[in-house]
Amino acid sequence: MRRILLLYIIFSVIGLTTVHAQFDNGRQRVDENGYDQYGNQVDPAMIPDRLDSANVEVQGLPPKLYMWRINNQLGNRTIIPADTAYHHFQNSNLTEGLTGHYNYLANMGSPRMSRIFFDRRYPEPTIFMEPFSSFFVRPTEFNFTNSNVPYTNLTYHKAGNKVNGEERFKSYFSVNVNKKLAFGFNIDYLYGRGYYNNQNTAYFNAAVFGSYIGDRYQVQGIYSNNYLKTNENGGITDDRYITAPEEMAEGRREYESTNIPTVLSETTNRNHDFYVFLTQRYNLGFKRDIPQAENDTTPAKQEFVPVTSFIHTIQVERARHGFNSYDEVADGYYQNTYFDKDNKAFVRDSTTYVGIKNTIGIALLEGFNKYAKAGLTAFASYKISKYTLMNKERRTITRKLHENEIFVGGDYPTGRDILHYHAIGEVGLAGKAIGQFNVKGDIDLNFPLWKDTVSLIARGEVSNQLAPFYMRHYHSKHFMWDNDMDKEFRTRIEGELSIARWKTRLRAGVENIKNYTYFNQQATPEQKSGSLQVLSASLNQDFKLGIFHLDNEVTWQKSSDQTVLPLPDLSLYHNFYMQFKLAKKVLSVQLGADVRYFTKYNAPAYMPAIQNFYLQPEEGKVEIGGYPIVNVYANLHLKRTRFYVMMYHVNQGISRPDYFLSPHYPINPRVLKFGLSWNFYD
């Protein structure tokens, strides 16, 4: 923790020094007419050479900022709301997600898997990093900031005590050198001690980012470094420690979580991932006068109109995965041992991935042609991937595999105020990309209805893709495969109806998958012959009566083969709260309780040696679900500060104790959590 704080202090000093330099540079570049180097008129009293500190009061600028994300490899930007909302802030650090969609292993930050099939993503960069989606941030999920004043956010979450509690500290800093150039850094430190033995999580991320958004040239870049250490306990040895403690604890009604024996005690997974992401574009265009009012006598201002863009994006990534164990496990826990057979208790598996992907494109922008009024982009990408695997015969010898992929594609967005549509697709030309393609598109229609706006959205996607590399090739002491798999062919259609005034959102979709790839009951990859279908429908409906609010989310889904792809039929989330203001209406308050619930099903189990979820073996198969998890909370917002206090799993002991979110991994017992988030604009 001391190292984390030291790094934060160093970055803060660098940031403040830059801010000071920013103001110094501005002081030296005011022209004789009173304009700075960016064309902004400066108050004569504030020009440093004319500044009289005795009679001039310097006041800070009112903060103005906006945030965005890069939504694809072409560097297109999507503006997002600044992270200042306090609604659901109490759930923002829960590994099960804001509305409880994920199965996980109880401890904060532990591997997780969404129960909602349409929420699952393609595992990038590797299958070993995808289970950590609550912590690991992809380039397309990173928030860039542009602001007129330095912006800092500090967030701290805390639960429990020094023996079994959890803590998470996040800091985010961004500063503008001028209106176009900004940079900053992000630090995220997570440490979960765990309420069950041998399941500590210790994660650290440090990222540096920058952006320059000019008329002709734009560039955005991220350097992100992630260290993740996860202690693995393999689950508890007997579910009855939770479901029937009187049978295990000499008649006592409860069993202390820290006293429950676990399968593993000296086993650890480690992941180290770093990436550099840089996207840039150069615009060609012309300048035109901005229309003015008839009686406006000020000099006409001009705006730049881009016509053509040249795009380049590069991403370099390295991901290393290691699995270490010194546990003497029972016979049958691992079905195979491929080397060091005389020392089954000692395991030291490792693999490394290195990937470099370049994308180049040319975009014909809005208005260049009557048939593509919003633009048309053509692009090509080349990716080289190198994988280091353990040799089949000896652990100390490595084997290297290379894969190359070349894709070409296009991006076509267009629309009016009422109707918008967008399509993007790519097809493989060489290397492993041959035969692969992915095409997706969406159409949205917005029209007024009475005093409201109704949105209708249709989405579609068709893809033919290879399974992830590590589901085709992986070598370790207890798991080894080299599979020649067919490509997965997927088609998905979704529809969405949204009525803002009624606070209604209805979604429905169907997906068909041929050659579905999954981890079978032996925790090895397998493909289902033939096709698999998933139907899903979700309704979000919020109600309000005075200060009383009730938010509801109901999701129904059905898999055509529950043996291969088990899913719960229903997943529910309900949040009842009072919302009001105090202290002369400057303190916003939410007091309430929320509940998440899903129907029973044979959920995937978790295998530490591959750090992924797989189908439960027939022996000892159990159902999870049918148990509500209730949290009671107070959520407060005062100016720049958000604060919450929450009693997690408050209903423990009220109903039948069957609180599992993964087979043989009970969730944490009742615990008090709190969190604080503070924004600074100076």
Side-chain angles (χ1 to χ4, degrees):
M1 189 65 184
R2 291 178 180 175
R3 265 187 275 175
I4 308 303
L5 294 175
L6 179 59
L7 281 172
Y8 176 70
I9 293 170
I10 292 173
F11 280 126
S12 298
V13 171
I14 293 172
L16 292 173
T17 303
T18 305
V19 174
H20 181 70
Q22 169 187 340
F23 292 144
D24 285 347
N25 290 337
R27 179 179 59 198
Q28 298 172 359
R29 298 187 185 180
V30 180
D31 64 22
E32 60 183 4
N33 297 318
Y35 288 86
D36 67 13
Q37 65 268 37
Y38 312 117
N40 301 315
Q41 188 173 12
V42 180
D43 185 344
M46 300 304 296
I47 298 175
D49 293 339
R50 310 173 194 174
L51 184 61
D52 181 359
S53 59
N55 54 31
V56 176
E57 180 182 356
V58 179
Q59 296 182 351
L61 293 173
K64 297 179 182 179
L65 66 88
Y66 66 94
M67 291 184 173
W68 72 90
R69 289 182 178 178
I70 299 170
N71 56 17
N72 56 31
Q73 58 186 320
L74 300 176
N76 296 329
R77 300 190 302 154
T78 299
I79 303 298
I80 62 172
D83 184 19
T84 57
Y86 75 109
H87 185 55
H88 274 153
F89 179 51
Q90 78 282 359
N91 293 344
S92 61
N93 194 47
L94 296 181
T95 307
E96 59 261 49
L98 283 179
T99 56
H101 286 179
Y102 289 85
N103 290 350
Y104 75 118
L105 311 183
N107 198 19
M108 179 179 63
S110 58
R112 69 178 190 174
M113 182 182 193
S114 179
R115 293 188 300 275
I116 310 302
F117 180 76
F118 278 20
D119 287 350
R120 296 181 185 177
R121 313 180 303 180
Y122 188 84
E124 293 179 352
T126 69
I127 63 172
F128 306 112
M129 291 301 297
E130 176 56 23
F132 299 99
S133 58
S134 66
F135 181 85
F136 177 68
V137 176
R138 297 179 178 182
T140 54
E141 299 166 340
F142 194 89
N143 294 344
F144 290 86
T145 299
N146 188 291
S147 61
N148 65 333
V149 294
Y151 168 70
T152 303
N153 174 264
L154 301 178
T155 301
Y156 180 70
H157 300 273
K158 169 73 174 176
N161 53 43
K162 294 183 178 180
V163 176
N164 51 24
E166 57 192 39
E167 294 178 275
R168 187 173 186 179
F169 170 74
K170 298 194 292 184
S171 70
Y172 180 96
F173 173 77
S174 177
V175 62
N176 272 54
V177 177
N178 53 49
K179 289 184 177 181
K180 300 175 182 179
L181 176 62
F183 67 91
F185 66 86
N186 179 75
I187 291 177
D188 192 351
Y189 174 74
L190 177 155
Y191 186 66
R193 297 166 180 83
Y195 280 82
Y196 300 91
N197 293 323
N198 314 305
Q199 62 166 190
N200 298 43
T201 51
Y203 307 155
F204 176 71
N205 163 257
V208 180
F209 63 91
S211 64
Y212 179 86
I213 308 299
D215 290 336
R216 293 190 179 275
Y217 181 68
Q218 299 178 2
V219 61
Q220 298 148 95
I222 313 166
Y223 168 78
S224 180
N225 210 338
N226 297 268
Y227 293 89
L228 294 85
K229 177 185 176 183
T230 308
N231 284 0
E232 305 281 5
N233 65 14
I236 61 177
T237 58
D238 194 321
D239 288 356
R240 290 179 297 171
Y241 284 107
I242 299 297
T243 59
E246 66 280 356
E247 298 180 17
M248 312 297 292
E250 301 177 354
R252 286 181 289 172
R253 294 183 60 186
E254 292 185 0
Y255 207 95
E256 287 290 335
S257 62
T258 53
N259 294 329
I260 297 177
T262 58
V263 175
L264 305 174
S265 60
E266 297 182 88
T267 298
T268 304
N269 269 301
R270 294 175 183 265
N271 290 280
H272 177 204
D273 178 283
F274 86 85
Y275 64 77
V276 176
F277 178 89
L278 181 74
T279 180
Q280 55 186 336
R281 66 170 58 204
Y282 184 79
N283 297 323
L284 299 178
F286 60 92
K287 290 186 177 182
R288 65 185 176 191
D289 292 337
I290 300 175
Q292 295 179 248
E294 293 183 2
N295 57 354
D296 190 350
T297 59
T298 60
K301 294 184 178 181
Q302 290 187 321
E303 65 178 354
F304 179 77
V305 180
V307 175
T308 303
S309 290
F310 298 95
I311 303 165
H312 172 242
T313 299
I314 183 172
Q315 181 170 344
V316 180
E317 188 157 9
R318 180 184 184 274
R320 179 176 175 82
H321 168 74
F323 173 73
N324 299 327
S325 180
Y326 303 93
D327 279 303
E328 292 279 358
V329 295
D331 291 339
Y333 187 79
Y334 299 121
Q335 296 191 4
N336 298 291
T337 302
Y338 294 97
F339 42 73
D340 293 340
K341 296 182 179 181
D342 296 332
N343 188 7
K344 293 184 178 181
F346 177 76
V347 182
R348 184 169 291 176
D349 300 336
S350 65
T351 182
T352 303
Y353 154 78
V354 177
I356 303 174
K357 182 177 182 179
N358 274 284
T359 302
I360 57 173
I362 181 171
L364 303 176
L365 302 177
E366 182 178 1
F368 86 100
N369 188 290
K370 65 180 180 179
Y371 298 108
K373 294 185 180 297
L376 176 65
T377 302
F379 63 90
S381 67
Y382 172 69
K383 181 178 182 181
I384 181 171
S385 303
K386 183 178 75 173
Y387 301 89
T388 302
L389 300 174
M390 298 168 62
N391 193 275
K392 291 184 177 182
E393 287 75 27
R394 293 177 58 190
R395 179 183 63 82
T396 56
I397 300 177
T398 59
R399 177 187 176 192
K400 296 182 179 180
L401 296 178
H402 296 77
E403 291 188 347
N404 299 286
E405 299 171 300
I406 297 178
F407 283 90
V408 295
D411 184 19
Y412 182 44
T414 189
R416 303 292 185 272
D417 293 336
I418 296 178
L419 179 66
H420 305 82
Y421 59 90
H422 175 239
I424 184 171
E426 60 181 2
V427 59
L429 290 186
K432 283 291 183 178
I434 292 179
Q436 297 192 69
F437 62 84
N438 182 274
V439 179
K440 63 180 67 175
D442 57 80
I443 302 175
D444 66 273
L445 175 65
N446 304 279
F447 58 90
L449 178 64
W450 297 303
K451 295 182 180 181
D452 202 356
T453 299
V454 176
S455 297
L456 293 173
I457 304 174
R459 304 183 185 92
E461 182 174 359
V462 181
S463 65
N464 194 46
Q465 292 180 300
L466 277 174
F469 175 87
Y470 284 111
M471 296 193 78
R472 293 180 280 122
H473 304 280
Y474 183 58
H475 300 167
S476 68
K477 182 168 183 174
H478 295 296
F479 292 92
M480 189 171 296
W481 56 76
D482 287 287
N483 298 323
D484 184 14
M485 290 184 165
D486 295 325
K487 297 179 180 67
E488 278 190 346
F489 183 76
R490 294 180 176 233
T491 57
R492 177 184 291 190
I493 299 174
E494 288 184 274
E496 181 177 324
L497 168 66
S498 179
I499 306 175
R501 188 176 182 184
W502 296 355
K503 298 183 179 179
T504 301
R505 185 184 178 203
L506 175 64
R507 294 176 296 161
V510 58
E511 181 164 349
N512 183 82
I513 310 170
K514 184 179 180 181
N515 301 324
Y516 174 68
T517 309
Y518 61 98
F519 284 105
N520 60 22
Q521 293 181 322
Q522 290 75 45
T524 59
E526 186 175 331
Q527 285 190 310
K528 173 182 169 58
S529 60
S531 296
L532 173 71
Q533 292 80 37
V534 179
L535 295 172
S536 179
S538 180
L539 173 65
N540 291 75
Q541 180 63 67
D542 300 341
F543 299 99
K544 176 183 177 182
L545 180 61
I547 65 171
F548 297 99
H549 296 252
L550 177 62
D551 299 345
N552 304 278
E553 179 185 272
V554 180
T555 300
W556 171 86
Q557 53 187 355
K558 196 68 176 180
S559 166
S560 63
D561 191 339
Q562 286 282 354
T563 302
V564 170
L565 178 58
L567 298 171
D569 290 337
L570 281 176
S571 292
L572 310 176
Y573 176 78
H574 304 285
N575 183 19
F576 177 74
Y577 58 96
M578 296 182 293
Q579 182 169 303
F580 50 88
K581 291 182 179 291
L582 296 174
K584 296 183 180 181
K585 296 186 177 181
V586 298
L587 176 64
S588 300
V589 180
Q590 287 183 343
L591 300 176
D594 62 4
V595 57
R596 62 266 306 138
Y597 174 91
F598 59 94
T599 53
K600 288 188 174 184
Y601 77 116
N602 293 314
Y606 175 75
M607 170 51 69
I610 60 171
Q611 206 167 44
N612 267 270
F613 294 86
Y614 71 106
L615 297 180
Q616 289 189 62
E618 287 299 326
E619 184 180 354
K621 181 182 288 189
V622 296
E623 287 187 325
I624 67 168
Y627 180 87
I629 302 173
V630 181
N631 302 332
V632 176
Y633 65 90
N635 211 352
L636 302 95
H637 186 196
L638 177 63
K639 295 183 178 180
R640 302 176 182 180
T641 306
R642 293 172 289 169
F643 181 84
Y644 73 85
V645 178
M646 176 174 63
M647 183 60 74
Y648 177 81
H649 195 186
V650 70
N651 59 310
Q652 181 193 16
I654 297 176
S655 57
R656 174 179 169 80
D658 198 10
Y659 42 89
F660 294 84
L661 282 182
S662 289
H664 315 305
Y665 285 87
I667 66 170
N668 287 342
R670 185 186 302 111
V671 60
L672 182 68
K673 298 174 178 274
F674 71 87
L676 171 69
S677 181
W678 200 337
N679 292 326
F680 299 88
Y681 301 100
D682 49 35

